[in-house]
Amino acid sequence: MEAGIVAYGVYIPKLRIKVSEIERVWEKSASGLGVIEKAVAASDEDACTLAVQAARVACEDFCIDPKRINAVYVGSESHPYAVNPTASIVAEALGTSNKYFAVDMEFACKAGTAGLQVCYALKKAKMIDIGLAIGSDTAQSKPNDPLEFTAASGAAAFFIGDSKEEVIAEIEHTCSYTSDMPDFWRRPKAEFPEHTGRFTGEAYFKHVISAAKMLMEETGYKASDFSYAVFHQPNGKFPLKAAKILGIDLERVKQGLLCPYIGNTYSASTLIGLASVLDVAKPNEKVLAVSYGSGAGSDAFVLNITDNILHRRAKVKVWDKIKEKQYIDYALYVKHRRKIKL
Amino acid sequence: MQNTAPLNWRRFPERYLLRGSYCETCKQAFFPSRAICPNCRRKGKLISIEMPRTGKIISYTRVHVPPEGFKNEAPYYLAIIELENGAKVLSQIVDSDPEKIKIGAKVKKVFRRIAEPDEYGTITYGYKFKVVE
């Protein structure tokens, strides 16, 4: 059996703010983004707590003994510490042994899929039993910045192994397309990230399309071979446009397109979409997943769903998880996101 | 900045995994951990176990004037929870509709930030609970 996904878990904070509420405060329209509302981490949540929640639910749903985890990679652009790893806190909270590889990953919104590639490589090299890759973010945004309409919070955890009884989706192939294209960044002491407006769209499509085409060239697959396609979701429209450029039926993107209802969860974005696809995919279906991280790069994957999916899935589907929500107004939003300094 | 990291580190098993004690002699669970069983004394045989992740509220209050490190949280709910094995835990209740926070309500453990004394020190993580249907 090829190395692949043996378990997955998603955590989306309960709080939501409607984009219309942010529009009301700043008297601006964000209708072009295709986002209705976004998930907001509470004031006692951060990328670390979200990561733990996502990984724990996966351990429970798929009966994974944390002692089997030999690698922990947490991708985020909002790690709670500048120095002190999130990965070791997550592992300790899961109850792993002390024999595991660990590091925090950072590559804007693709740090989670980069962790997935590392775990896949370690598994192929037979250096681990199970590897854990997490994408988790409580994305920051300056008040009244276009990012504020979409920057959201969420986490997804993927466990990589190769047991034929456990693998639900084989990773058939992965590749990355990377270049130096600074479209979004945050300097060390800056509280909020900066971006280049429309240039971020140019960077997104250059990398996402190039990575997807590279993957198809290297594997021989055509757009029509994929039952589902998941792309990084900075807004509700870019993934659909990427699919159109690649000749992928838009209906095959919708299952994994959560951004309109939870916002852009940064490092978790592609992974939450992929989890949603695994909630419904059938054996032998092929799934294309392409992340995007500013700065810039895209990781592309093709997954082959196995028969194990019939008896190994998350207990609560992602589309059902997002129904548990509590709306807050802008005042509570700035309190929870610590934009009010006490 | 208070150097609380070593003290917190010694409590990670308790705070991260709800590790407590279980006496194999009298079959009673204790949280936090005990050095000696209060029932059996020298005859007791204590082992370390992970507590159940679910329980029910047996008493609660709403805190409006928080101690240092909890300013961002107030107002918040604090409850005494009886876990499924009978051990009792004092914990914050989060992510729960105030109307559903009541005696007898079922709760499940979640992982959250507990306290953050200032912007330079370590962040304390650990358990809180949320009401589940």
Side-chain angles (χ1 to χ4, degrees), chain A:
Chain A
M1 178 72 72
E2 278 289 308
I5 297 159
V6 297
Y8 63 95
V10 165
Y11 177 76
I12 297 157
K14 187 180 181 183
L15 302 179
R16 297 283 187 286
I17 185 166
K18 291 193 176 191
V19 167
S20 60
E21 169 68 0
I22 306 172
E23 288 176 322
R24 180 187 70 79
V25 171
W26 298 114
E27 298 187 32
K28 277 182 177 175
S29 171
S31 58
L33 296 171
V35 179
I36 298 162
E37 57 199 43
K38 66 172 193 172
V40 180
S43 58
D44 63 347
E45 292 185 300
D46 60 26
C48 177
T49 66
L50 268 53
V52 170
Q53 289 290 112
R56 267 192 187 164
V57 75
C59 285
E60 288 174 5
D61 286 359
F62 292 84
C63 298
I64 299 288
D65 178 0
K67 303 286 184 215
R68 292 177 61 197
I69 299 168
N70 309 125
V72 180
Y73 294 97
V74 182
S76 180
E77 62 112 67
S78 49
H79 288 291
Y81 287 94
V83 179
N84 190 36
T86 308
S88 60
I89 303 171
V90 171
E92 194 83 24
L94 292 176
T96 65
S97 72
N98 296 110
K99 183 180 162 54
Y100 61 92
F101 301 103
V103 78
D104 288 356
M105 318 287 275
E106 191 279 315
F107 196 141
C109 300
K110 85 166 189 83
T113 54
L116 200 58
Q117 289 177 320
V118 173
C119 286
Y120 171 64
L122 286 171
K123 186 68 247 187
K124 293 263 283 186
K126 302 197 181 300
M127 292 173 69
I128 56 172
D129 181 4
I130 285 181
L132 169 57
I134 302 175
S136 179
D137 259 308
T138 53
Q140 313 101 336
S141 57
K142 203 183 292 178
N144 197 18
D145 187 284
L147 286 177
E148 194 173 40
F149 294 100
T150 55
S153 304
F158 280 74
F159 292 68
I160 304 300
D162 66 0
S163 160
K164 65 180 181 182
E165 288 83 25
E166 291 182 315
V167 173
I168 56 175
E170 294 172 302
I171 297 175
E172 277 193 23
H173 190 64
T174 181
C175 62
S176 295
Y177 181 93
T178 313
S179 77
D180 179 8
M181 195 165 178
D183 60 316
F184 170 103
W185 63 91
R186 180 165 61 84
R187 297 291 299 275
K189 290 177 183 170
E191 188 173 354
F192 301 112
E194 303 291 333
H195 59 90
T196 51
R198 289 177 185 276
F199 183 59
T200 60
E202 188 178 334
Y204 174 91
F205 290 108
K206 173 180 163 65
H207 291 81
V208 168
I209 302 303
S210 299
K213 285 183 176 172
M214 183 191 288
L215 184 102
M216 288 193 255
E217 275 176 25
E218 290 180 1
T219 58
Y221 285 126
K222 304 184 296 294
S224 58
D225 291 327
F226 303 115
S227 300
Y228 297 96
V230 182
F231 300 99
H232 173 57
Q233 301 159 30
N235 54 52
K237 295 193 170 173
F238 278 14
L240 296 172
K241 188 175 172 187
K244 196 172 175 185
I245 293 168
L246 290 166
I248 293 171
D249 184 351
L250 300 188
E251 287 301 314
R252 299 179 181 198
V253 180
K254 288 183 178 171
Q255 177 64 30
L257 185 57
L258 278 299
C259 182
Y261 305 100
I262 60 170
N264 179 4
T265 52
Y266 283 50
S267 299
S269 177
T270 309
L271 295 176
I272 291 176
L274 180 56
S276 171
V277 165
L278 295 178
D279 283 340
V280 298
K282 298 183 188 74
N284 300 317
E285 286 184 327
K286 308 282 181 204
V287 179
L288 171 70
V290 188
S291 64
Y292 172 70
S294 290
S298 280
D299 302 328
F301 300 82
V302 58
L303 304 165
N304 178 48
I305 307 297
T306 74
D307 291 342
N308 290 330
I309 199 89
L310 297 172
H311 59 271
R312 285 176 66 81
R313 288 195 210 263
K315 291 207 166 70
V316 182
K317 290 183 168 70
V318 176
W319 281 100
D320 290 329
K321 271 182 198 278
I322 68 171
K323 290 176 188 165
E324 187 191 352
K325 59 187 172 183
Q326 177 193 339
Y327 288 109
I328 53 172
D329 60 12
Y330 193 82
L332 275 175
Y333 165 71
V334 295
K335 177 191 170 190
H336 280 293
R337 295 312 309 130
R338 297 169 181 243
K339 294 182 186 185
I340 300 175
K341 303 300 176 195
L342 292 176

Side-chain angles (χ1 to χ4, degrees), chain A residues 11 13-15 42-46 48-50 52-53 56-57 60 67 80-81 84 88-89 92-95 324 326 335 338 340 342, chain B residues 9 12-13 16-17 50 53 71-75 92 94-97 108-114 116 121-125 128 130-131:
Chain A
Y11 177 76
K14 187 180 181 183
L15 302 179
S43 58
D44 63 347
E45 292 185 300
D46 60 26
C48 177
T49 66
L50 268 53
V52 170
Q53 289 290 112
R56 267 192 187 164
V57 75
E60 288 174 5
K67 303 286 184 215
Y81 287 94
N84 190 36
S88 60
I89 303 171
E92 194 83 24
L94 292 176
E324 187 191 352
Q326 177 193 339
K335 177 191 170 190
R338 297 169 181 243
I340 300 175
L342 292 176
Chain B
W9 178 77
F12 282 173
Y16 288 9
L17 296 165
E50 200 173 314
R53 295 174 186 177
K71 280 183 183 171
N72 266 330
E73 309 281 321
Q92 274 191 47
V94 293
D95 274 359
S96 306
D97 183 345
K108 182 176 184 185
K109 186 180 79 162
V110 294
F111 188 76
R112 295 289 181 114
R113 280 181 182 230
I114 301 296
E116 192 179 350
T122 53
I123 302 163
T124 306
Y125 292 99
K128 292 185 183 179
K130 65 177 278 190
V131 174

